């Protein structure tokens, strides 16, 4: 840029000299040279600078937001980004076979539901619904599952399925403190009918919130899709107090596990960079 300014200054001086000496040829030559220099040297740089300005401003804003986030975290109003990422990366699916059988308190379950309630929701419909099954209702759901598998599946498949379920009932189901039925209202608000996939996505996001809270509380949790023939059977929806059009996305099993058991669950993910494409 400095060299261009020097050239323009030289041309301006030469042009002024041409005017003083009344030399039209010199003046015209200086004018054309100055315009050409501006057109091919100065103007492109100027346009590049104008185009880059918004990106630079966005980078500056992002940097300021990051700095503000760190200040807020330091002030205690927000968790530090590193802490959030650490919590997310420590989430595990802990299978009921590793539960101790100890109960999870209602206060802790309420914290899970409160966390779930802050999931994103298109149209503010909040379609997630949860049914906490413990005690007699937990056993009723288990018995209903066995009965539906017995009566709705082909005979050969029913026998194999019931054999597996019986082993689980004898060994692991009793270790589960409670099941939280993961339900999605098809139309949560009478004046809004959102696409079903959006409502199911919102409910799934609510489950993730619940799962992260369970991790922070040191609880053992697992999202099971359950037996397909039983999960969305009319009898199951009746038990859960749902309408026929509502969906059941599975059950969130909740319990407690020894720390050594939990630490034995190793998490692994491929590089995040392999799953993103950046485009300007």
């Amino acid at each position: 840029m400095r060299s261009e300014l020097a050239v323009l200054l030289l041309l301006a001086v030469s042009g002024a000299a041409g005017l003083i000496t009344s030399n039209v040829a010199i003046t015209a030559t200086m004018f054309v040279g100055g315009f050409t220099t501006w057109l091919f040297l100065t103007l492109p740089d100027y346009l590049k600078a104008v185009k880059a300005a918004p990106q630079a401003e966005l980078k500056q804003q992002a940097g300021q937001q990051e700095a503000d986030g760190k200040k807020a975290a330091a002030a205690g109003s927000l968790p530090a980004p590193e802490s959030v990422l650490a919590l997310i990366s420590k989430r595990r699916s802990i299978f009921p076979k590793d539960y101790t059988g100890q109960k999870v308190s209602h206060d802790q379950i309420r914290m899970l539901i409160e966390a779930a309630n802050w999931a994103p929701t298109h149209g503010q419909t909040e379609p997630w619904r949860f049914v906490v099954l413990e005690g007699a209702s937990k056993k009723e759901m288990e018995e209903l599952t066995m009965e539906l598998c017995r009566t709705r599946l082909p005979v050969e498949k029913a026998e194999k399925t019931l054999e597996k379920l019986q082993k689980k009932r004898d060994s692991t189901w009793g270790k589960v403190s409670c099941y939280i039925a993961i339900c999605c209202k098809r139309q949560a608000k009478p004046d809004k009918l959102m696409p079903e996939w959006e409502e199911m996505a919102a409910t799934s996001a609510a489950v993730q919130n619940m799962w992260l809270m369970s991790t922070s509380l040191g609880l053992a949790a697992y999202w099971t899709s359950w037996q397909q023939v039983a999960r969305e059977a009319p009898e199951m929806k009746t038990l859960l107090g749902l309408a026929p059009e509502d969906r059941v996305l599975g059950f969130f099993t909740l319990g407690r596990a020894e720390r050594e058991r939990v630490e034995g669950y190793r998490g692994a993910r491929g590089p995040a960079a392999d799953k993103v494409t950046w485009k300007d």
Side-chain angles (χ1 to χ4, degrees):
M1 180 64 73
R2 290 181 178 177
S3 61
E4 295 162 14
L5 291 175
V7 171
L8 288 174
L9 180 60
L10 177 61
L11 293 172
V13 172
S14 301
L19 290 174
I20 294 173
T21 60
S22 300
N23 192 320
V24 177
I26 294 177
T27 303
T29 300
M30 293 306 102
F31 174 78
V32 173
F35 179 77
T36 302
T37 301
W38 175 83
L39 181 63
F40 291 100
L41 296 178
T42 305
L43 182 59
D45 287 343
Y46 172 77
L47 294 176
K48 287 181 181 179
V50 171
K51 184 179 180 180
Q55 296 179 354
E57 184 178 354
L58 288 175
K59 288 182 179 180
Q60 183 178 4
Q61 291 176 355
Q64 185 62 45
Q65 290 174 350
E66 183 178 357
D68 292 342
K70 290 183 178 180
K71 288 181 181 179
S77 59
L78 288 174
E82 296 81 3
S83 299
V84 175
L85 185 57
L87 174 63
I88 293 172
S89 62
K90 287 181 180 179
R91 185 208 58 79
R92 296 288 183 273
S93 296
I94 309 298
F95 299 119
K97 66 180 181 63
D98 290 320
Y99 294 4
T100 63
Q102 294 176 299
K103 296 298 182 182
V104 176
S105 71
H106 283 189
D107 286 342
Q108 289 179 317
I109 295 174
R110 291 189 185 96
M111 291 184 70
L112 266 62
I113 303 301
E114 181 64 23
N117 198 44
W118 285 98
T121 165
H122 187 196
Q124 300 296 312
T125 55
E126 303 175 30
W128 46 83
R129 296 293 185 272
F130 301 103
V131 183
V132 181
L133 303 171
E134 52 185 359
S137 65
K138 175 176 174 290
K139 291 183 179 180
E140 183 180 0
M141 191 276 286
E142 294 170 348
E143 290 296 336
L144 176 59
T145 298
M146 299 280 284
E147 180 62 22
L148 290 170
C149 289
R150 182 181 297 109
T151 58
R152 303 288 170 83
L153 292 175
V155 176
E156 185 176 350
K157 185 175 182 180
E159 291 178 354
K160 293 181 179 179
T161 301
L162 288 171
E163 184 180 353
K164 292 179 181 179
L165 293 180
Q166 185 63 49
K167 290 181 179 179
K168 289 184 177 181
R169 181 165 67 175
D170 295 340
S171 61
T172 63
W173 285 0
K175 297 180 179 181
V176 176
S177 178
C178 68
Y179 299 109
I180 302 178
I182 303 166
C183 310
C184 177
K185 293 293 291 182
R186 181 62 192 94
Q187 187 166 4
K189 291 190 175 182
D191 59 334
K192 287 184 179 180
L193 180 61
M194 309 302 291
E196 186 178 42
W197 76 267
E198 291 187 358
E199 302 297 64
M200 294 175 72
T203 303
S204 299
V207 175
Q208 173 73 347
N209 282 6
M210 186 162 59
W211 215 329
L212 293 175
M213 179 58 74
S214 69
T215 302
S216 72
L217 292 172
L219 302 176
Y222 171 62
W223 182 356
T224 170
S225 57
W226 208 242
Q227 292 296 316
Q228 184 176 356
V229 71
R231 185 181 64 243
E232 294 199 286
E235 295 87 344
M236 184 66 75
K237 291 184 178 182
T238 298
L239 175 64
L240 299 176
L242 300 175
E245 67 273 12
D246 296 336
R247 303 299 304 271
V248 182
L249 306 186
F251 294 86
F252 195 71
T253 67
L254 197 61
R256 297 184 183 277
E258 298 292 341
R259 179 177 297 180
E260 293 76 11
R261 285 283 190 178
V262 175
E263 291 177 350
Y265 283 79
R266 302 296 182 184
R269 294 291 187 272
D274 294 345
K275 300 156 189 169
V276 61
T277 301
W278 301 81
K279 293 188 176 183
D280 292 330

